[in-house]
Amino acid sequence: MIRTLTLAAALCFAPAALAQDGEMGEVERIARDYMAAYSAVDFETMSTFMADDIVFSDPTATGTDNPDGILETGRDALLAMLESFAAEYNPIGLNFTWDTVFESNGRVVFMGHVNATYPTDQPGQVFRWRAAQTAVVTVRGGRVVRHQDFADYAHAEQGLVPAE
């Protein structure tokens, strides 16, 4: 009985073990490429990975305009929101650093930090906004169908830093 359960567990978890041995699957590759474009504020490239009915949410981005956080449905709505953000704040990059990335059942979880930089009128300086961040990207049929962001807005570090 124990050998049967052990064999069943080994068969169920074998694909996950193979992926951990350095082989990146298509789902993780798509999610990483999508997040690399997001990090670079390259929304045009980012959009090539999106499903038409993508859902983007950031329930931690609350404020007077959005007390329940951000929720956008559809590629066009998400792109309009991202382009509006870029027009208003002019980010140089979101510059994500991920300490941990793993794929599980079509979802790729990214845990690390956002290190967003913005231009200033100070020579050799940029404004940096840094916070802990987790993102969960769901991929189905080769397209990103859901993107969830969670940032520690309350404890963000912000200020001028040397431009790199």
Side-chain angles (χ1 to χ4, degrees):
M1 174 76 159
I2 291 176
R3 280 194 293 185
T4 303
L5 290 174
T6 303
L7 178 59
L11 291 173
C12 287
F13 295 108
L18 289 175
Q20 292 173 2
D21 289 339
E23 292 182 29
M24 185 185 313
E26 180 184 10
V27 165
E28 185 174 339
R29 182 193 54 75
I30 290 167
R32 282 180 181 269
D33 289 348
Y34 169 86
M35 290 301 285
Y38 186 32
S39 184
V41 191
D42 182 355
F43 303 136
E44 183 177 332
T45 297
M46 190 179 166
S47 74
T48 65
F49 296 98
M50 295 177 189
D52 290 339
D53 60 349
I54 187 172
V55 175
F56 174 91
S57 67
D58 184 345
T60 58
T62 60
T64 55
D65 292 344
N66 50 347
D68 296 323
I70 296 170
L71 178 63
E72 294 291 344
T73 301
R75 180 186 315 173
D76 293 341
L78 176 53
L79 286 173
M81 186 269 295
L82 292 170
E83 289 166 1
S84 175
F85 164 78
E88 184 173 350
Y89 297 104
N90 196 27
I92 297 167
L94 298 178
N95 311 310
F96 295 111
T97 55
W98 304 118
D99 302 320
T100 302
V101 178
F102 65 90
E103 186 267 331
S104 182
N105 298 316
R107 290 166 182 81
V108 182
V109 179
F110 298 84
M111 295 184 292
H113 291 88
V114 56
N115 299 285
T117 51
Y118 303 89
T120 69
D121 57 2
Q122 302 294 315
Q125 301 276 305
V126 295
F127 180 82
R128 183 184 71 180
W129 188 90
R130 184 176 197 277
Q133 177 144 346
T134 297
V136 180
V137 175
T138 304
V139 177
R140 287 197 193 107
R143 294 279 183 229
V144 175
V145 298
R146 187 166 188 85
H147 174 170
Q148 299 167 279
D149 275 349
F150 305 90
D152 186 1
Y153 291 96
H155 299 101
E157 302 167 17
Q158 46 191 333
L160 294 176
V161 297
E164 295 179 4

